[in-house]
Amino acid sequence: MSRALVWAVSFVASQLVTSYDTSTSIVYPGEDPSVVGAQTLTDAVVWRCFGQFARWDAAYFLRIAEVGYEYEKVHAFGPGLPALIAAVRRVTGLAWLDTPSTLGGKDVVLHVRSSLLLAGTLVSLVAFVGAAVAMYELSRVVLKNEKQSYLAAVLFCFNPASIFMSAVYTESAFACFSFFGMLCFELGIETSLKKITSCRGVSFEFLGVSLFFAATAVRSNGIVLAGFIVYFFFKRYLWFICASNILRVPNHPAVNATWELQRSLLGFLKHATFLWMSTAPYFLVLEYARSLYCNGHADTAVTSPDRPWCANSNIYAFVQKEYWSLGPFAYYEVKQIPNFLLACPAIGLSFGAAASYVKRVHHRPECHGKYPLIDRMTAFMGLNNREDSLDLPLVGYHSHRVAVYVWYMMALTLFGMVVMHIQVVTRFLCASSPPLYWFVASRIQKKKKFQTNAILLYFSVFVVMGSIVFSTFYPWT
């Protein structure tokens, strides 16, 4: 229903409002008057119905899916989404419709760019449905609260970045891969507990890492998902040694330090492999670009080995700064105040969710004796979690299992505020941070009327306004 609403609003807006920027007409035949003769009726229908989903960065993704990486500038976009679009185009048979040879030399049914638009729209739709399912299942595992889980999934379906979840953007695919990856890690932890030889648990974790791999291929910030691997390694292995032999936590199960060290070493090897797998796409993309531009293999004008970034082989950092003006506090200018205002609700919601968690996180009072500060800190980190304690509630947003997700959300928020175009923070967080939805769901369940109404108004306005503004090529988040 949410996708139907977004499509309806964006379609009507694109038909009634003159686009502010018509640059997509340079590339795509459905909007280019100079190639009307090359279009088919199918092309016209496709672009009339779904052309609003090809605005802004979508044009880059579709172009990469068609011809690959042509210029240095387009390396700002990961290969994951274009690869998915190209694959779906072939698997669904759309490639057959746009290839003359498959039609006995007859005219094609639709242009290749139209088939790519259909494939990209389908990828976003399927990925969004997958992300919504993953959000619900992940919420059930982490929150152990059915109502909050259902509310979180519904909120995700109508999130402030909804238009980007339908457009040919990375948001839906990234959310789908990352949320399912988180879910697999949680299931792996629950299944294997302390037994690293549990085949089922390791299988879940391996699947989770594979999904993190896919998420990083879709968007470079997927590399931050490696933090989950580091956190779960520390919590499952090193924390037992720290709690029993260093912090001397009262009533904590005694462990054999030698056995735990051996177990931790095996766990380290496993998680180090996982860490390499989850971050590999980022470095593979850098190596691919280096082979194109630094070794003289490409035919473009920028194949000189003297490109500034060739020295450290980080084309991504160079392109973001050179072509997109990204860098620490580079966006902090007076003229960007409207964009800061656009991002304020999402940033405020993120900080509010984190503050609520820190203030109310459930923990076991005085479990570290004379070190209450350590007790509180470990509670914030989700480490103070003995499940046999009756005074430790284990359900809802403020349970210990939510900790790593809250800190992941805050890391993304701070990174977005410092380095990114500030207005992008809204869709950046909506596609990456389950705690945003868990926090709002907890407010709704606790019947915090004013907070709930304000947040739901924010969600509603951004769903509608985003669908209108983005579809008519006006600047948005």
Side-chain angles (χ1 to χ4, degrees), residues 40-98:
T40 67
L41 176 61
T42 310
D43 286 324
V45 172
V46 167
W47 283 88
R48 176 73 68 176
C49 293
F50 302 108
Q52 69 271 21
F53 293 151
R55 309 303 193 196
W56 299 103
D57 292 350
Y60 289 101
F61 291 118
L62 292 170
R63 183 63 178 171
I64 294 170
E66 181 183 1
V67 300
Y69 288 90
E70 295 177 285
Y71 310 107
E72 189 178 68
K73 179 179 180 179
V74 298
H75 285 268
F77 305 96
L81 181 60
L84 283 173
I85 294 172
V88 168
R89 170 176 166 265
R90 293 188 177 278
V91 170
T92 58
L94 289 170
W96 186 82
L97 298 176
D98 63 33

Side-chain angles (χ1 to χ4, degrees), residues 8 63 84 113 136 153 160 195 204 225 239 246 249 271 274 285 287 302 327 352 383 388 390 401 415:
R63 183 63 178 171
L84 283 173
R113 293 164 184 169
Y136 175 67
K195 299 178 182 178
F204 273 126
L225 292 167
W239 173 242
I246 299 178
V249 177
H271 283 74
F274 287 167
V285 167
E287 179 60 24
V302 293
L383 301 174
D388 59 344
L390 296 178
R401 282 181 299 272
F415 175 80

Side-chain angles (χ1 to χ4, degrees), residues 366-387:
E366 301 178 355
C367 74
H368 295 115
K370 61 180 180 179
Y371 301 114
L373 178 60
I374 294 178
D375 169 63
R376 194 68 181 171
M377 289 178 63
T378 53
F380 296 161
M381 297 170 65
L383 301 174
N384 188 357
N385 61 346
R386 285 190 54 203
E387 300 190 7

Side-chain angles (χ1 to χ4, degrees), residues 354-374:
S356 175
Y357 186 79
V358 169
K359 183 179 180 180
R360 297 183 176 88
V361 62
H362 303 310
H363 66 110
R364 299 178 65 241
E366 301 178 355
C367 74
H368 295 115
K370 61 180 180 179
Y371 301 114
L373 178 60
I374 294 178

Side-chain angles (χ1 to χ4, degrees), residues 298-475:
D299 296 325
T300 63
V302 293
T303 55
S304 168
D306 296 324
R307 294 300 297 159
W309 57 268
C310 284
N312 61 16
S313 296
N314 195 335
I315 188 175
Y316 184 77
F318 173 81
V319 166
Q320 291 287 9
K321 182 178 180 180
E322 181 75 8
Y323 297 102
W324 306 97
S325 302
L326 290 181
F329 302 105
Y331 220 59
Y332 282 65
E333 302 175 314
V334 174
K335 65 180 181 181
Q336 300 299 344
I337 288 178
N339 287 324
F340 274 84
L341 294 176
L342 272 178
C344 273
I347 294 173
L349 192 58
S350 176
F351 276 100
S356 175
Y357 186 79
V358 169
K359 183 179 180 180
R360 297 183 176 88
V361 62
H362 303 310
H363 66 110
R364 299 178 65 241
E366 301 178 355
C367 74
H368 295 115
K370 61 180 180 179
Y371 301 114
L373 178 60
I374 294 178
D375 169 63
R376 194 68 181 171
M377 289 178 63
T378 53
F380 296 161
M381 297 170 65
L383 301 174
N384 188 357
N385 61 346
R386 285 190 54 203
E387 300 190 7
D388 59 344
S389 173
L390 296 178
D391 63 351
L392 178 63
L394 296 172
V395 299
Y397 175 67
H398 297 100
S399 74
H400 66 272
R401 282 181 299 272
V402 178
V404 63
Y405 298 93
V406 170
W407 302 126
Y408 169 68
M409 175 185 68
M410 287 309 301
L412 295 181
T413 303
L414 293 174
F415 175 80
M417 291 175 63
V418 173
V419 177
M420 299 173 64
H421 291 170
I422 194 67
Q423 70 272 24
V424 175
V425 170
T426 300
R427 56 187 171 92
F428 185 59
L429 293 177
C430 287
S432 309
S433 306
L436 281 180
Y437 308 105
W438 295 341
F439 171 67
V440 177
S442 71
R443 298 294 91 188
I444 295 175
Q445 191 175 30
K446 292 182 179 180
K447 299 182 179 179
K448 302 288 185 178
K449 189 172 182 180
F450 177 77
Q451 293 181 17
T452 298
N453 290 340
I455 294 172
L456 293 182
L457 177 62
Y458 160 56
F459 274 51
S460 301
V461 169
F462 268 60
V463 168
V464 176
M465 286 300 300
S467 299
I468 295 173
V469 176
F470 176 88
S471 300
T472 53
F473 229 131
Y474 283 82

